[in-house]
Amino acid sequence: MGIELAPQQTVLHDMDELSFTDSELDYHVRNALKAAVQGDCDSYNQLVAVIHHKERLVPEEVALLMTCLKALTGAVSCMHIVHHRSLLAAIFGMSLWNYGTDVMDALVELLISLAASSGQYVDLCLEMLVTNFMPPSSSSTYFIELLKQPRGIDKKHQVLDRVHSTFQDIANLVPLSPLRLEKIVRDRMPNIYTKEPFIVMYVENMLTLESGAAGKLVGGSMLVAIMDRLIDLDVEIAWDDILQDDFSKGIFDMELEDLEGFSDHVQQDGDELTRESLMQRFFGGNLVAEKLDSLLVLTFEHLESCSGSGRLIQVFETLLQSFQKTVLTAYKSKFAQFVMFYACSLDPENCGKMFVSTLVNIFVSGVSPAWRMSAVAYLASYLSRAKFVAPSFVAATLESLVNWCFDYCNKQDGDINPRAHKIFYSGCQAIMYVLCFRMRSIISVPRLRSQLLLMRIEDILRHPLKPLEVCLPSIVEEFLRLAKRNRIFSVPDTFVDYGMLESELSRAFGGIERLDTFFPFDPYLLRKSDRFIRPNFVYWSMVRNSYYEDDEDESASDEDIAEAGISIADDISVDEGDAHLDEFDYALDKMSITPRDSSTKFGGRIQGFVQMPSKIRPSTSPESL
C-alpha cells in the first residue's frame, strides 16, 4: 500500500507492564512521535511494536493496543508520512478481522482522523479498508471454515458494517474520496483464481457500495467491473474440458431443456440422468463455474433489490452500456449475458423494450458487421426465449427486421454470396428462428396473424440472394415445416440441405466466430442461479409439445388450438387481455415434457426432420447435437 516497515528491528519492551493513565499515555505517544523526528526512536519503536504485534493477544495487550490507537487518534497532527513510515505501515497492515469490536472501533476512528488530517493519507486509509472486504489471506483456511458458522457470520457483519460506515465518514470529511475509492476497488478486485468465498465477499461489498450513499459516484463503475469479471469467469468455462470432447452420445442428442424437473429422466447407457445430475456432470467440481454461479446469484438478488427500491432502470442503463462494450462481442460467453435477461424480466415494459430497441438500432445502423450480427443474434434469442415478452411486441419487432431485410433485397441484384451479404443472412435467420418459437403465439391472435401475413417475408425468402439456402439448414427446415403446417407462407416442399445441422454456406456467412450459430440465450446450466431464470424462460419443449397436441388432431383449427389453452401466445402475453401468466403455468402443467416417441428429436420426427439447434453453438455446446 505504498508504506513498508522500516528495516530497523522493532523490539517490544515491557511497555504493557508500565502503568499509564490515558492522559499520560497520550503525552507519552506524542513525545515518542516528536522524538522519532529528532532521531530518538526508543519510545517510538516500543509504540510500533505494540501496533505491529500480531500474535494472539491477552486481555491486557488488547487494552494497551486499544489505548495506543486512541492516543494516536489524538496525535495525528504529530505524525509524518516519512519519519513515521514504520508506524503507518503497522497501522495500515492491521486487519479488522483479527480483533474484537473495541479494537475495531479504535482503529477506524484513527483511520478517519488520518484521512481528515492530510490528503496524503486518504488513499492509504481507503486501501486499508478495501483490503478488509475479505479476511486476511494468511488465515484464509481458518476464515473459510469460520464463515460457515454463526459466529463467523457475526464477525463478517461486524467488520463490513464498520468498513462501509467508515467510507461514509471519510466521504463526509473528504468529499472527493469516493472517486479515489472507485479506482482502488477496481484495481484490487480479485482475479478469477481467488477462492470462491473471498471473491463472492468482495463482489458483495462492491454491490453494497453501488446501492449505498456513494452509489451516485461509484455505482456505475462497480457494475461495469462486476460484469467484466463475470465475463472473465464465463469464457474460462470450456465445453471441451467439461464434456471431454464427446459430443455425440446419448443425452447430448436430446435437448437439455427437455429435462424440465428433477423427476424427468432420460436414458444413457442404462443410467438415469435428471437435469440436476446432468448439471452436476457438467459443472461438478468445476471451480470457475461454481464461482460464476455464486456471483450470478448475488447479481440477480441485487437486481431484485434495485427493482424493489425503484432503481432498476438507472442500474439497467449502466448494464446496457457495459453490455455494448464487452458482452455483445464476447462470443464464448454462455451465462453472463443472463444478467440482461433477468433485469428485463423484472421490468419488461422499460428495461425489456430498452434492450430490444438498442439491439435493433445496432443491427440496423451499426458500423461493425460483427457487432450487427451479434446484436441480431441476441435479439432473436431474447424474443424467442423471454416468456415475459408479449406476442404483439414480438410481432412489431419482427416487422422491423423484415422491413430492413426487404429494403436490403430491393437494393441488391446479385446472387448468393454468404460473405458479402452476411448481415442480411443473419437478419433472415433471426426472423426464421424467432418464428420457430413464436409463430403459434402470433397467429393465435387474429390481429397479429394479419400483421404477420402482411410482412414481406415470402418476398425476402424467394429473392435471388436465396436465404433459405444460406441460413442454418436446421433452422430453415423447422421454419418451413411450421409455415406449411400453419398455412402461413407458400413454402417449397423440399430443401436442398435436408438433414443437416449446418452447411458450408452457413459457415461462410458466420465467419470465424461462427455467428451463424450464435443465439446466446439458450437453456441455463448453472444450478444455484437457475431458479432466477427458469420461471421466465421459454423452453423448446413448451413450443414442441403444442405441436404434439396438434399432431393428435391435425384437423384442429387455430381457433380450436387457442380455445384448448395450448397456444403459448395467450399465456405469455403481457399486454393482450386474453389470458394471464397463471393460466399459462396451468396449461404448461398439463403438458408432457417427455417426448412421446423416443425416436423424436428436437424439431420433429427423426425420420423427417433434423434437430433444431436450440443450443446455438453446436461446436462448443452439447445441447444442439
Side-chain angles (χ1 to χ4, degrees), residues 24-282:
E24 289 174 337
L25 187 57
D26 289 344
Y27 177 79
H28 179 82
V29 167
R30 286 177 180 271
N31 279 347
L33 295 174
K34 293 176 181 178
V37 175
Q38 303 300 322
D40 181 4
C41 295
D42 288 344
S43 296
Y44 171 77
N45 287 339
Q46 294 179 36
L47 178 60
V48 172
V50 171
I51 302 298
H52 189 65
H53 188 44
K54 297 189 185 316
E55 297 177 5
R56 183 176 295 274
L57 304 179
V58 299
E60 293 77 9
E61 292 171 328
V62 171
L64 177 62
L65 173 60
M66 185 173 64
T67 306
C68 287
L69 290 173
K70 291 181 177 180
L72 285 169
T73 301
V76 291
S77 60
C78 301
M79 295 177 68
H80 192 280
I81 197 167
V82 175
H83 295 296
H84 302 128
R85 65 183 184 277
S86 58
L87 174 62
L88 290 168
I91 293 170
F92 293 129
M94 297 177 71
S95 173
L96 296 172
W97 293 85
N98 290 329
Y99 303 101
T101 55
D102 289 339
V103 174
M104 290 186 202
D105 290 335
L107 179 55
V108 297
E109 284 299 321
L110 174 56
L111 295 177
I112 294 169
S113 295
L114 280 170
S117 68
S118 173
Q120 58 190 343
Y121 296 128
V122 172
D123 281 11
L124 294 170
C125 293
L126 295 177
E127 286 185 12
M128 188 267 195
L129 290 167
V130 171
T131 301
N132 279 275
F133 278 1
M134 304 180 295
S137 57
S138 59
S139 307
S140 61
T141 302
Y142 167 76
F143 279 106
I144 286 175
E145 293 304 315
L146 180 65
L147 289 169
K148 298 176 183 178
Q149 305 171 26
R151 64 189 183 96
I153 300 299
D154 290 342
K155 169 67 78 172
K156 172 184 171 182
H157 290 315
Q158 291 168 0
V159 171
L160 299 183
D161 287 350
R162 285 168 173 79
V163 166
H164 289 281
S165 65
T166 306
F167 282 145
Q168 186 57 48
D169 290 337
I170 293 176
N172 292 337
L173 297 169
V174 187
L176 294 181
S177 63
L179 298 179
R180 303 297 304 161
L181 175 62
E182 173 190 352
K183 182 179 186 304
I184 292 168
V185 172
R186 286 190 287 106
D187 291 346
R188 298 186 69 88
M189 191 174 185
N191 61 38
I192 62 175
Y193 305 107
T194 304
K195 293 180 180 179
E196 180 183 341
F198 291 172
I199 190 172
V200 167
M201 194 178 303
Y202 196 95
V203 170
E204 185 178 358
N205 280 279
M206 294 176 71
L207 292 173
T208 300
L209 285 173
E210 192 281 327
S211 59
K216 291 182 180 180
L217 293 175
V218 305
S221 179
M222 297 300 101
L223 292 170
V224 170
I226 291 170
M227 285 302 303
D228 289 347
R229 187 62 77 244
L230 292 177
I231 290 292
D232 292 341
L233 287 164
D234 202 340
V235 298
E236 281 291 310
I237 303 173
W239 286 116
D240 291 354
D241 295 339
I242 298 168
L243 302 180
Q244 299 178 340
D245 297 322
D246 184 4
F247 296 99
S248 59
K249 293 183 180 179
I251 188 64
F252 304 125
D253 286 337
M254 299 183 64
E255 283 292 308
L256 296 181
E257 64 195 28
D258 289 341
L259 304 177
E260 286 282 319
F262 299 161
S263 62
D264 303 308
H265 296 77
V266 293
Q267 298 289 331
Q268 178 186 349
D269 299 330
D271 297 327
E272 289 189 335
L273 294 177
T274 63
R275 181 183 178 86
E276 175 74 7
S277 61
L278 192 58
M279 289 179 175
Q280 178 64 28
R281 173 172 176 175
F282 285 164

Side-chain angles (χ1 to χ4, degrees), residues 518-557:
F518 182 62
F519 289 87
F521 292 121
D522 282 324
Y524 197 79
L525 294 177
L526 297 179
R527 290 187 297 170
K528 289 184 289 188
S529 50
D530 177 67
R531 60 189 170 90
F532 295 92
I533 303 303
R534 174 168 292 274
N536 305 303
F537 197 82
V538 174
Y539 292 89
W540 175 248
S541 56
M542 298 177 180
V543 183
R544 184 198 58 192
N545 285 337
S546 68
Y547 300 153
Y548 288 149
E549 294 290 342
D550 195 44
D551 285 340
E552 293 180 352
D553 185 5
E554 293 191 2
S555 63
S557 65

Side-chain angles (χ1 to χ4, degrees), residues 223 227 296 299-308 311-320 323 335-355 382 386 388-389 521 532-533 536:
L223 292 170
M227 285 302 303
L296 283 168
T299 306
F300 293 154
E301 289 175 344
H302 184 72
L303 291 176
E304 276 187 335
S305 175
C306 293
S307 178
R311 298 178 52 247
L312 182 61
I313 295 177
Q314 171 192 342
V315 168
F316 185 78
E317 290 173 347
T318 300
L319 291 175
L320 190 56
F323 170 83
F335 308 111
Q337 57 263 36
F338 276 90
V339 171
M340 305 301 296
F341 186 95
Y342 186 65
C344 290
S345 74
L346 294 172
D347 187 358
E349 280 300 305
N350 293 296
C351 298
K353 290 183 177 179
M354 194 187 310
F355 185 51
Y382 175 78
F388 45 85
V389 176
F521 292 121
F532 295 92
I533 303 303
N536 305 303

Side-chain angles (χ1 to χ4, degrees), residues 548 595-602 604-609:
Y548 288 149
R596 300 178 180 228
D597 182 344
S598 61
S599 66
T600 302
K601 298 177 77 176
F602 186 78
R605 306 281 179 181
I606 192 170
Q607 64 268 30
F609 301 95

Side-chain angles (χ1 to χ4, degrees), residues 280-292:
Q280 178 64 28
R281 173 172 176 175
F282 285 164
F283 300 121
N286 188 303
L287 299 181
V288 178
E290 291 172 0
K291 291 175 193 175
L292 178 61

Side-chain angles (χ1 to χ4, degrees), residues 566-577:
I566 298 172
S567 170
I568 292 180
D570 293 342
D571 299 304
I572 65 176
S573 172
V574 176
D575 57 3
E576 306 287 346

